[in-house]
Amino acid sequence: MIEKITVVGAGNVGATAAQRIAEKALARTVVLVDVIEGVPQGKALDQWESAPIEGFDTHVVGANDYIPAAGSEIVVVTAGIARKPGMSRDDLVRTNADIVKQVSQQIKQHCPKAIVLVVSNPLDVMCWVTKQVTGFPRERVIGMAGVLDTARYRAFLAEALDVSVEDIQAMVLGGHGDTMVPLISYTTVSGIPVTQLLDKPALDKIVERTRNGGAEIVTFLKTGSAYYAPSAAVTEMAEAIVRDKKRILPCAAWVQGEYGISGVYLGVPCKLGRGGLERILEVKLSGDEQAALNKSAAAVQETMAAVSLKP
Ligand code: APR
């Protein structure tokens, strides 16, 4: 257990993440911060009142400023807006970049030693904004995308094979979006290559469904997007850090030559421990997988170009 984890954004993803973090007792205090008056306070109080039933001693508090967040060892960033009708992708990027910029300035001032886990979309670009504005090293600004994409992929595989989700080992790399790269060659069912258990058309269908995982949920919900699996994913990353587990998880990390790519956030296999991002693992990729990763990086760089970091 650490002293303090702050979750910025008390919307669907943020509030659910705060509750999951508290239920796992990852920190003595969880601070929920949002710009809307009353919402973080009300949700935090409601969660804290569940503590005697769920049996956790983590105190959950809400605030509209960062004073209670001071000194947090981990900050989860979920602040942002969803794309509204008529809004272009670039408009969304610029709006969320402004929000994440403002949040990052507060993190830099009040939580200078924090490890920041970014969830706000478009993920890879928001990670870059956070890193630039806080000035934190890459070890302390990590994005949540691959854990979620991999969870979706594993859930669909488990369903197709009628086996436990626990027995599916897999990794989805690349960007968070259309350019994600599920590594079929590294997908196993308790060590058995998945290609021995499912034929190519079945696997292709699952890969396609994984790519559209976020959109599938939005189509059902109509307003709002996924939050149960995203909050579970960022909680798993926080747990790996708090408990210094040295987990190998696919996360968005700032690559500096790994996989032959530099100067961009990209989903790669990462070792997470108390130091944050402790190592990026470089695995052998097929020609097609490397080409897909290069394409992912180019797409992220293109979106980065739409954002100005000037104050
Ligand atoms: N500081 C703090 N909170 C903010 C700020 C800000 N500057 N600007 C907006 N927020 C808050 C909103 O008030 C809202 O409560 O961020 C919250 C976002 O919550 P939701 O709209 O419910 O969105 P959610 O589904 O939680 O998704 C949040 O995570 O997965 C991503 O794509 C998703 O970028 C989105 C983010």
Side-chain angles (χ1 to χ4, degrees), residues 33-232:
V33 177
D34 201 290
V35 284
I36 304 176
E37 262 177 55
V39 167
Q41 291 88 345
K43 289 191 181 182
L45 180 59
D46 193 11
Q47 291 182 8
W48 168 234
E49 288 168 358
S50 76
I53 304 166
E54 293 296 332
F56 60 81
D57 285 303
T58 297
H59 201 186
V60 191
V61 296
N64 297 120
D65 61 62
Y66 290 75
I67 306 294
S72 294
E73 292 118 299
I74 295 179
V75 179
V76 176
V77 178
T78 76
I81 61 153
R83 189 154 150 188
K84 300 199 173 91
M87 199 175 196
S88 77
R89 202 180 139 74
D90 280 358
D91 285 343
L92 175 78
V93 175
R94 279 191 280 263
T95 304
N96 278 353
D98 283 343
I99 291 173
V100 170
K101 234 190 275 180
Q102 187 225 320
V103 170
S104 300
Q105 279 154 359
Q106 297 292 326
I107 295 172
K108 182 182 179 177
Q109 187 182 337
H110 297 279
C111 317
K113 294 197 174 135
I115 294 167
V116 187
L117 302 178
V118 182
V119 182
S120 305
N121 273 317
L123 191 270
D124 310 273
V125 180
M126 294 308 126
C127 289
W128 168 68
V129 171
T130 307
K131 184 176 176 297
Q132 291 302 107
V133 175
T134 57
F136 291 178
R138 74 169 183 173
E139 288 74 15
R140 294 201 283 122
V141 181
I142 314 160
M144 188 292 292
V147 175
L148 169 62
D149 297 330
T150 303
R152 286 178 173 149
Y153 180 53
R154 289 171 61 200
F156 301 150
L157 284 170
E159 213 170 14
L161 290 162
D162 191 26
V163 301
S164 167
V165 289
E166 284 175 44
D167 291 330
I168 313 276
Q169 298 81 34
M171 224 7 122
V172 176
L173 305 187
H176 186 45
D178 310 337
T179 57
M180 69 181 70
V181 185
L183 299 183
I184 292 175
S185 53
Y186 290 100
T187 306
T188 63
V189 183
S190 279
I192 306 161
V194 74
T195 44
Q196 292 185 19
L197 303 172
L198 283 174
D199 59 19
K200 193 171 178 309
L203 275 169
D204 285 348
K205 235 166 109 182
I206 288 172
V207 165
E208 198 48 31
R209 192 173 174 200
T210 304
R211 271 193 228 286
N212 296 320
E216 187 178 357
I217 307 270
V218 171
T219 306
F220 280 122
L221 295 181
K222 308 228 167 34
T223 56
S225 50
Y227 57 100
Y228 291 111
S231 58

